[in-house]
Amino acid sequence: MSKIAIIGAGSVGATIAYACLVRGVGDRIVLYDVNKTKVDAEVLDLNHGIQFTGSHPVEGSDDVGICIGANIIVITAGAKQKPGQSRMDLAGANAEICKSMLPLLLKAAPDAIFLLVTNPVDVITYITQKLTGLPTNRVFGSGTVLDSSRFRFLIAQRLKVAVRNVHAYIVGEHGDSEIPLWSSATVGTVPLHEWAVPGHGKLSVRDRVEIFQNVKGAALQIIQGKGATNYAIGLATAEILEALLSESPRILPVSSLLSGHRDISDVCLSVPCIVNRAGIEQPLAIPMNENEIAGLRNSADTIREAIRQLGF
Ligand code: NAD
C-alpha cells in the first residue's frame, strides 16, 4: 500500500493529485495545506471524479498529521513566480517555508522519500537534504524533467515526429542557467545532428536557438497568460512518482546532490539518473561536449551562489 502526501494544494499540488488519479499512481493520496478552505475544496473536486478513475478517495487536511506514514512526500508549498520574476527570486521565502515544515514532515513520515517541486527547486532540494540529513538517494527534486519534456516537444514539432521518438535532455539548473544537451540528442537512434529525413525537416542553428529560448521562456509565457503552470508539471511529477512506485526503473533528469560528478560537488542540479523504488541512483555519465560541460559547471556555480546567500 503506497501513500503519497502532497504538501501544498495550490495549482501544482492539486494537479499532481489529479494526474496521479488519472494515471492510477499511488494507492492513497493525501493533500496537506495550511489553507483549509482551499485544501477542502480541491479534495471535494477531485473526489467527485473518482467514479471515472477507479481510485481511492483523496484525503486532505490543514493538519500535518494527515501525512503520517507516507512513503513519499511531494513538496509544492510556497510562493510561485509572478510575471517578471525569476525562480531564484523565490529562494528566501520558500526556504523559510521549508525550514518550518520539514521537522513536522520528518516526524510524520520518517521513512519517506522527499520529492521537491517548490522553486527554485535545486536550492530547495539542497536545503531539504541538509536540514533533514536524509541519505541523498531519498531527497531529490523534479529538476529539469519538465524542461526536458518541453525540449522534446519542441524538437518533435519541428521535425514532425512523435515526442516519444525524441531523446534529449536539459540539464543543470531548473532555471535561467540550464543547458540543452544537443550533442547527445537522438531521433529514433539517429543522432540529431545527422537527422536529415526527407519530408521531416532538419534543424538549423536558428531553429536550435529558438527552441531553447522557448524552453527557457515557457514558464513566464504561461504565467503571463494564466497565472501558473500546472498541467505539464503535474504529469511530469506523476511520471517521477510512477518510477518510484513501479518495478521498472526509469531514467529521468532529476535534481540531486552531486558529489564529484564531472568534478561538481556539494550542489543540487539535474542530470539524468535512474529513479527506482529506493529513490535515485548515481547520475549517469551521459555524453557531453566541452561547451556543455562548461555550461553545467557554470550552472552549478549559479545555484551554489544562491544557496550560499541563504546561509547554507
Ligand atoms: P500556489 O500559490 O497555487 O500554491 C501554493 C500552496 O502552498 C498554497 O495553497 C499555499 O496555501 C500552500 N502553502 C504555503 N505555505 C505552506 C505551508 N507552510 N504548509 C503547507 N502549505 C503551504 O502555487 P503553485 O502554482 O501551486 O506553485 C507551487 C510551487 O511550485 C511554486 O514554488 C512554483 O514556482 C513551483 N513550481 C515548480 C515547478 C517545477 O518544475 N519544479 C513547476 C511549476 C511550479
mmCIF file of all heavy atoms in Angstrom, residues 80-87 90 119 146-147 150 154 174-176 178 212-230 232-233:
data_model
loop_
_atom_site.group_PDB
_atom_site.id
_atom_site.type_symbol
_atom_site.label_atom_id
_atom_site.label_comp_id
_atom_site.label_asym_id
_atom_site.label_seq_id
_atom_site.Cartn_x
_atom_site.Cartn_y
_atom_site.Cartn_z
ATOM 1 N N LYS A 80 4.929 31.289 -5.702
ATOM 2 C CA LYS A 80 5.210 30.994 -7.116
ATOM 3 C C LYS A 80 5.633 32.280 -7.823
ATOM 4 O O LYS A 80 5.436 33.377 -7.288
ATOM 5 C CB LYS A 80 3.987 30.389 -7.781
ATOM 6 C CG LYS A 80 2.783 31.300 -7.797
ATOM 7 C CD LYS A 80 1.621 30.602 -8.465
ATOM 8 C CE LYS A 80 0.336 31.392 -8.227
ATOM 9 N NZ LYS A 80 -0.852 30.633 -8.530
ATOM 10 N N GLN A 81 6.182 32.122 -9.029
ATOM 11 C CA GLN A 81 6.652 33.289 -9.780
ATOM 12 C C GLN A 81 5.479 34.178 -10.182
ATOM 13 O O GLN A 81 4.428 33.684 -10.571
ATOM 14 C CB GLN A 81 7.334 32.853 -11.076
ATOM 15 C CG GLN A 81 8.684 32.247 -10.930
ATOM 16 C CD GLN A 81 9.051 31.517 -12.227
ATOM 17 O OE1 GLN A 81 8.695 30.367 -12.417
ATOM 18 N NE2 GLN A 81 9.744 32.208 -13.114
ATOM 19 N N LYS A 82 5.733 35.498 -10.099
ATOM 20 C CA LYS A 82 4.785 36.446 -10.699
ATOM 21 C C LYS A 82 5.413 36.886 -12.013
ATOM 22 O O LYS A 82 6.633 36.721 -12.199
ATOM 23 C CB LYS A 82 4.612 37.651 -9.768
ATOM 24 C CG LYS A 82 4.030 37.269 -8.417
ATOM 25 C CD LYS A 82 3.647 38.517 -7.622
ATOM 26 C CE LYS A 82 3.146 38.142 -6.248
ATOM 27 N NZ LYS A 82 4.242 37.763 -5.327
ATOM 28 N N PRO A 83 4.619 37.440 -12.944
ATOM 29 C CA PRO A 83 5.214 37.862 -14.212
ATOM 30 C C PRO A 83 6.446 38.735 -13.951
ATOM 31 O O PRO A 83 6.413 39.644 -13.114
ATOM 32 C CB PRO A 83 4.080 38.666 -14.871
ATOM 33 C CG PRO A 83 2.834 38.038 -14.328
ATOM 34 C CD PRO A 83 3.161 37.647 -12.922
ATOM 35 N N GLY A 84 7.551 38.438 -14.632
ATOM 36 C CA GLY A 84 8.779 39.218 -14.486
ATOM 37 C C GLY A 84 9.721 38.686 -13.422
ATOM 38 O O GLY A 84 10.881 39.073 -13.369
ATOM 39 N N GLN A 85 9.243 37.778 -12.555
ATOM 40 C CA GLN A 85 10.112 37.228 -11.502
ATOM 41 C C GLN A 85 10.836 35.993 -12.019
ATOM 42 O O GLN A 85 10.273 35.228 -12.797
ATOM 43 C CB GLN A 85 9.263 36.766 -10.308
ATOM 44 C CG GLN A 85 9.118 37.791 -9.207
ATOM 45 C CD GLN A 85 8.468 37.171 -7.976
ATOM 46 O OE1 GLN A 85 7.591 36.334 -8.075
ATOM 47 N NE2 GLN A 85 8.910 37.619 -6.813
ATOM 48 N N SER A 86 12.087 35.802 -11.527
ATOM 49 C CA SER A 86 12.768 34.548 -11.849
ATOM 50 C C SER A 86 12.500 33.577 -10.703
ATOM 51 O O SER A 86 12.068 33.979 -9.625
ATOM 52 C CB SER A 86 14.268 34.775 -12.027
ATOM 53 O OG SER A 86 14.912 34.694 -10.782
ATOM 54 N N ARG A 87 12.813 32.289 -10.945
ATOM 55 C CA ARG A 87 12.596 31.295 -9.885
ATOM 56 C C ARG A 87 13.472 31.610 -8.675
ATOM 57 O O ARG A 87 13.070 31.412 -7.531
ATOM 58 C CB ARG A 87 12.892 29.899 -10.423
ATOM 59 C CG ARG A 87 11.924 29.470 -11.520
ATOM 60 C CD ARG A 87 12.302 28.116 -12.076
ATOM 61 N NE ARG A 87 11.401 27.679 -13.135
ATOM 62 C CZ ARG A 87 11.629 27.841 -14.436
ATOM 63 N NH1 ARG A 87 12.736 28.435 -14.851
ATOM 64 N NH2 ARG A 87 10.757 27.407 -15.327
ATOM 65 N N LEU A 90 12.371 33.546 -5.604
ATOM 66 C CA LEU A 90 11.512 32.908 -4.595
ATOM 67 C C LEU A 90 12.323 32.247 -3.483
ATOM 68 O O LEU A 90 11.753 31.736 -2.507
ATOM 69 C CB LEU A 90 10.641 31.822 -5.251
ATOM 70 C CG LEU A 90 9.840 32.233 -6.497
ATOM 71 C CD1 LEU A 90 9.217 30.986 -7.133
ATOM 72 C CD2 LEU A 90 8.752 33.227 -6.120
ATOM 73 N N ASN A 119 9.900 25.906 -6.123
ATOM 74 C CA ASN A 119 11.039 26.622 -6.719
ATOM 75 C C ASN A 119 11.726 27.581 -5.749
ATOM 76 O O ASN A 119 11.092 28.041 -4.803
ATOM 77 C CB ASN A 119 10.536 27.423 -7.928
ATOM 78 C CG ASN A 119 10.478 26.561 -9.173
ATOM 79 O OD1 ASN A 119 11.356 25.744 -9.400
ATOM 80 N ND2 ASN A 119 9.448 26.761 -9.974
ATOM 81 N N LEU A 146 10.600 18.554 -16.377
ATOM 82 C CA LEU A 146 9.644 19.392 -17.114
ATOM 83 C C LEU A 146 10.327 20.094 -18.295
ATOM 84 O O LEU A 146 9.814 20.077 -19.419
ATOM 85 C CB LEU A 146 9.028 20.417 -16.147
ATOM 86 C CG LEU A 146 8.144 21.492 -16.758
ATOM 87 C CD1 LEU A 146 6.958 20.895 -17.505
ATOM 88 C CD2 LEU A 146 7.637 22.450 -15.666
ATOM 89 N N ASP A 147 11.493 20.691 -18.041
ATOM 90 C CA ASP A 147 12.193 21.415 -19.119
ATOM 91 C C ASP A 147 12.543 20.451 -20.261
ATOM 92 O O ASP A 147 12.458 20.806 -21.431
ATOM 93 C CB ASP A 147 13.496 22.030 -18.588
ATOM 94 C CG ASP A 147 13.302 22.693 -17.244
ATOM 95 O OD1 ASP A 147 12.945 21.963 -16.280
ATOM 96 O OD2 ASP A 147 13.469 23.905 -17.141
ATOM 97 N N ARG A 150 9.526 19.787 -22.316
ATOM 98 C CA ARG A 150 9.266 20.933 -23.213
ATOM 99 C C ARG A 150 10.217 20.881 -24.409
ATOM 100 O O ARG A 150 9.827 21.126 -25.553
ATOM 101 C CB ARG A 150 9.486 22.249 -22.447
ATOM 102 C CG ARG A 150 8.403 22.547 -21.443
ATOM 103 C CD ARG A 150 8.708 23.779 -20.598
ATOM 104 N NE ARG A 150 7.559 24.088 -19.760
ATOM 105 C CZ ARG A 150 7.627 24.689 -18.572
ATOM 106 N NH1 ARG A 150 8.799 25.062 -18.083
ATOM 107 N NH2 ARG A 150 6.527 24.939 -17.880
ATOM 108 N N LEU A 154 9.214 20.456 -28.415
ATOM 109 C CA LEU A 154 9.513 21.468 -29.436
ATOM 110 C C LEU A 154 10.349 20.878 -30.576
ATOM 111 O O LEU A 154 10.136 21.199 -31.746
ATOM 112 C CB LEU A 154 10.236 22.664 -28.789
ATOM 113 C CG LEU A 154 9.341 23.487 -27.851
ATOM 114 C CD1 LEU A 154 10.176 24.460 -27.020
ATOM 115 C CD2 LEU A 154 8.283 24.255 -28.637
ATOM 116 N N HIS A 174 17.102 24.092 -12.914
ATOM 117 C CA HIS A 174 15.746 24.275 -13.458
ATOM 118 C C HIS A 174 15.534 25.785 -13.413
ATOM 119 O O HIS A 174 14.979 26.330 -12.464
ATOM 120 C CB HIS A 174 14.716 23.539 -12.587
ATOM 121 C CG HIS A 174 13.290 23.918 -12.900
ATOM 122 N ND1 HIS A 174 12.727 23.786 -14.147
ATOM 123 C CD2 HIS A 174 12.310 24.440 -12.118
ATOM 124 C CE1 HIS A 174 11.473 24.211 -14.108
ATOM 125 N NE2 HIS A 174 11.200 24.610 -12.898
ATOM 126 N N GLY A 175 16.071 26.467 -14.437
ATOM 127 C CA GLY A 175 16.029 27.924 -14.417
ATOM 128 C C GLY A 175 16.957 28.495 -15.473
ATOM 129 O O GLY A 175 17.363 27.803 -16.412
ATOM 130 N N ASP A 176 17.315 29.753 -15.278
ATOM 131 C CA ASP A 176 17.951 30.515 -16.351
ATOM 132 C C ASP A 176 19.296 29.970 -16.826
ATOM 133 O O ASP A 176 19.687 30.214 -17.966
ATOM 134 C CB ASP A 176 18.100 31.981 -15.916
ATOM 135 C CG ASP A 176 16.722 32.616 -15.726
ATOM 136 O OD1 ASP A 176 15.739 32.078 -16.261
ATOM 137 O OD2 ASP A 176 16.641 33.651 -15.017
ATOM 138 N N GLU A 178 20.150 26.820 -17.228
ATOM 139 C CA GLU A 178 20.048 25.426 -17.688
ATOM 140 C C GLU A 178 20.715 25.238 -19.065
ATOM 141 O O GLU A 178 20.892 26.197 -19.817
ATOM 142 C CB GLU A 178 18.594 24.966 -17.735
ATOM 143 C CG GLU A 178 17.734 25.686 -18.746
ATOM 144 C CD GLU A 178 16.248 25.373 -18.554
ATOM 145 O OE1 GLU A 178 15.846 24.871 -17.493
ATOM 146 O OE2 GLU A 178 15.488 25.648 -19.501
ATOM 147 N N PHE A 212 15.492 26.476 -27.797
ATOM 148 C CA PHE A 212 15.995 26.611 -26.424
ATOM 149 C C PHE A 212 15.425 27.864 -25.750
ATOM 150 O O PHE A 212 15.075 27.832 -24.567
ATOM 151 C CB PHE A 212 17.526 26.603 -26.412
ATOM 152 C CG PHE A 212 18.078 26.658 -25.010
ATOM 153 C CD1 PHE A 212 17.603 25.794 -24.028
ATOM 154 C CD2 PHE A 212 19.053 27.576 -24.658
ATOM 155 C CE1 PHE A 212 18.088 25.842 -22.718
ATOM 156 C CE2 PHE A 212 19.544 27.633 -23.350
ATOM 157 C CZ PHE A 212 19.058 26.770 -22.380
ATOM 158 N N GLN A 213 15.299 28.955 -26.520
ATOM 159 C CA GLN A 213 14.689 30.160 -25.916
ATOM 160 C C GLN A 213 13.259 29.868 -25.477
ATOM 161 O O GLN A 213 12.802 30.326 -24.429
ATOM 162 C CB GLN A 213 14.687 31.314 -26.914
ATOM 163 C CG GLN A 213 16.001 32.067 -26.904
ATOM 164 C CD GLN A 213 16.078 33.110 -28.007
ATOM 165 O OE1 GLN A 213 15.228 33.165 -28.895
ATOM 166 N NE2 GLN A 213 17.118 33.913 -27.949
ATOM 167 N N ASN A 214 12.547 29.104 -26.278
ATOM 168 C CA ASN A 214 11.160 28.775 -25.927
ATOM 169 C C ASN A 214 11.082 27.877 -24.704
ATOM 170 O O ASN A 214 10.160 27.986 -23.902
ATOM 171 C CB ASN A 214 10.434 28.134 -27.103
ATOM 172 C CG ASN A 214 10.106 29.152 -28.169
ATOM 173 O OD1 ASN A 214 10.071 30.350 -27.890
ATOM 174 N ND2 ASN A 214 9.903 28.709 -29.389
ATOM 175 N N VAL A 215 12.060 26.961 -24.557
ATOM 176 C CA VAL A 215 12.093 26.116 -23.356
ATOM 177 C C VAL A 215 12.305 27.009 -22.132
ATOM 178 O O VAL A 215 11.570 26.930 -21.146
ATOM 179 C CB VAL A 215 13.234 25.066 -23.441
ATOM 180 C CG1 VAL A 215 13.419 24.357 -22.113
ATOM 181 C CG2 VAL A 215 12.956 24.058 -24.534
ATOM 182 N N LYS A 216 13.313 27.874 -22.232
ATOM 183 C CA LYS A 216 13.656 28.713 -21.069
ATOM 184 C C LYS A 216 12.549 29.707 -20.726
ATOM 185 O O LYS A 216 12.301 30.009 -19.574
ATOM 186 C CB LYS A 216 14.950 29.501 -21.360
ATOM 187 C CG LYS A 216 16.184 28.724 -21.023
ATOM 188 C CD LYS A 216 17.280 29.581 -20.435
ATOM 189 C CE LYS A 216 17.974 30.449 -21.456
ATOM 190 N NZ LYS A 216 19.247 30.971 -20.929
ATOM 191 N N GLY A 217 11.876 30.196 -21.773
ATOM 192 C CA GLY A 217 10.860 31.234 -21.546
ATOM 193 C C GLY A 217 9.469 30.666 -21.287
ATOM 194 O O GLY A 217 8.523 31.421 -21.042
ATOM 195 N N ALA A 218 9.326 29.341 -21.327
ATOM 196 C CA ALA A 218 7.987 28.735 -21.281
ATOM 197 C C ALA A 218 7.217 29.112 -20.018
ATOM 198 O O ALA A 218 6.052 29.508 -20.084
ATOM 199 C CB ALA A 218 8.102 27.215 -21.388
ATOM 200 N N ALA A 219 7.885 28.992 -18.858
ATOM 201 C CA ALA A 219 7.163 29.220 -17.603
ATOM 202 C C ALA A 219 6.590 30.638 -17.564
ATOM 203 O O ALA A 219 5.402 30.830 -17.276
ATOM 204 C CB ALA A 219 8.072 28.971 -16.410
ATOM 205 N N LEU A 220 7.437 31.625 -17.898
ATOM 206 C CA LEU A 220 6.941 33.003 -17.795
ATOM 207 C C LEU A 220 5.851 33.277 -18.833
ATOM 208 O O LEU A 220 4.884 33.992 -18.551
ATOM 209 C CB LEU A 220 8.093 34.002 -17.906
ATOM 210 C CG LEU A 220 8.933 34.114 -16.619
ATOM 211 C CD1 LEU A 220 10.070 35.106 -16.777
ATOM 212 C CD2 LEU A 220 8.084 34.496 -15.402
ATOM 213 N N GLN A 221 5.986 32.666 -20.006
ATOM 214 C CA GLN A 221 4.952 32.851 -21.033
ATOM 215 C C GLN A 221 3.608 32.310 -20.519
ATOM 216 O O GLN A 221 2.561 32.956 -20.653
ATOM 217 C CB GLN A 221 5.378 32.096 -22.292
ATOM 218 C CG GLN A 221 4.487 32.387 -23.484
ATOM 219 C CD GLN A 221 4.792 31.459 -24.662
ATOM 220 O OE1 GLN A 221 5.797 30.742 -24.673
ATOM 221 N NE2 GLN A 221 3.923 31.477 -25.649
ATOM 222 N N ILE A 222 3.655 31.140 -19.884
ATOM 223 C CA ILE A 222 2.411 30.527 -19.383
ATOM 224 C C ILE A 222 1.878 31.323 -18.197
ATOM 225 O O ILE A 222 0.674 31.586 -18.092
ATOM 226 C CB ILE A 222 2.663 29.045 -19.006
ATOM 227 C CG1 ILE A 222 3.038 28.243 -20.258
ATOM 228 C CG2 ILE A 222 1.423 28.428 -18.334
ATOM 229 C CD1 ILE A 222 3.592 26.856 -19.985
ATOM 230 N N ILE A 223 2.785 31.749 -17.312
ATOM 231 C CA ILE A 223 2.360 32.510 -16.135
ATOM 232 C C ILE A 223 1.712 33.839 -16.562
ATOM 233 O O ILE A 223 0.707 34.263 -15.998
ATOM 234 C CB ILE A 223 3.555 32.727 -15.178
ATOM 235 C CG1 ILE A 223 3.877 31.395 -14.473
ATOM 236 C CG2 ILE A 223 3.274 33.824 -14.149
ATOM 237 C CD1 ILE A 223 5.212 31.349 -13.772
ATOM 238 N N GLN A 224 2.276 34.469 -17.612
ATOM 239 C CA GLN A 224 1.668 35.715 -18.098
ATOM 240 C C GLN A 224 0.250 35.465 -18.596
ATOM 241 O O GLN A 224 -0.638 36.276 -18.409
ATOM 242 C CB GLN A 224 2.503 36.282 -19.240
ATOM 243 C CG GLN A 224 3.328 37.468 -18.779
ATOM 244 C CD GLN A 224 4.534 37.731 -19.676
ATOM 245 O OE1 GLN A 224 4.632 37.185 -20.768
ATOM 246 N NE2 GLN A 224 5.431 38.551 -19.188
ATOM 247 N N GLY A 225 0.032 34.309 -19.209
ATOM 248 C CA GLY A 225 -1.276 34.019 -19.791
ATOM 249 C C GLY A 225 -2.300 33.506 -18.805
ATOM 250 O O GLY A 225 -3.486 33.819 -18.902
ATOM 251 N N LYS A 226 -1.870 32.701 -17.798
ATOM 252 C CA LYS A 226 -2.882 32.084 -16.914
ATOM 253 C C LYS A 226 -2.508 32.063 -15.444
ATOM 254 O O LYS A 226 -3.221 31.476 -14.636
ATOM 255 C CB LYS A 226 -3.235 30.667 -17.412
ATOM 256 C CG LYS A 226 -2.068 29.679 -17.439
ATOM 257 C CD LYS A 226 -2.540 28.287 -17.829
ATOM 258 C CE LYS A 226 -2.197 27.293 -16.773
ATOM 259 N NZ LYS A 226 -2.510 25.926 -17.004
ATOM 260 N N GLY A 227 -1.382 32.682 -15.098
ATOM 261 C CA GLY A 227 -1.067 32.859 -13.674
ATOM 262 C C GLY A 227 -0.253 31.754 -13.043
ATOM 263 O O GLY A 227 0.323 31.947 -11.972
ATOM 264 N N ALA A 228 -0.190 30.593 -13.653
ATOM 265 C CA ALA A 228 0.578 29.481 -13.064
ATOM 266 C C ALA A 228 0.807 28.433 -14.140
ATOM 267 O O ALA A 228 0.064 28.368 -15.128
ATOM 268 C CB ALA A 228 -0.199 28.836 -11.905
ATOM 269 N N THR A 229 1.832 27.607 -13.942
ATOM 270 C CA THR A 229 1.980 26.425 -14.787
ATOM 271 C C THR A 229 1.545 25.236 -13.945
ATOM 272 O O THR A 229 1.918 25.142 -12.776
ATOM 273 C CB THR A 229 3.444 26.209 -15.241
ATOM 274 O OG1 THR A 229 4.245 25.932 -14.096
ATOM 275 C CG2 THR A 229 4.006 27.417 -15.958
ATOM 276 N N ASN A 230 0.741 24.363 -14.474
ATOM 277 C CA ASN A 230 0.305 23.237 -13.644
ATOM 278 C C ASN A 230 0.165 21.905 -14.374
ATOM 279 O O ASN A 230 0.525 20.864 -13.825
ATOM 280 C CB ASN A 230 -1.004 23.566 -12.910
ATOM 281 C CG ASN A 230 -2.152 23.883 -13.847
ATOM 282 O OD1 ASN A 230 -1.987 24.562 -14.849
ATOM 283 N ND2 ASN A 230 -3.335 23.386 -13.531
ATOM 284 N N ALA A 232 1.644 20.400 -17.164
ATOM 285 C CA ALA A 232 2.843 19.626 -17.527
ATOM 286 C C ALA A 232 3.635 19.230 -16.289
ATOM 287 O O ALA A 232 4.136 18.103 -16.213
ATOM 288 C CB ALA A 232 3.713 20.420 -18.495
ATOM 289 N N ILE A 233 3.712 20.121 -15.295
ATOM 290 C CA ILE A 233 4.446 19.736 -14.073
ATOM 291 C C ILE A 233 3.652 18.656 -13.320
ATOM 292 O O ILE A 233 4.247 17.770 -12.701
ATOM 293 C CB ILE A 233 4.780 20.957 -13.165
ATOM 294 C CG1 ILE A 233 5.602 20.542 -11.941
ATOM 295 C CG2 ILE A 233 3.553 21.720 -12.711
ATOM 296 C CD1 ILE A 233 6.927 19.916 -12.231
#
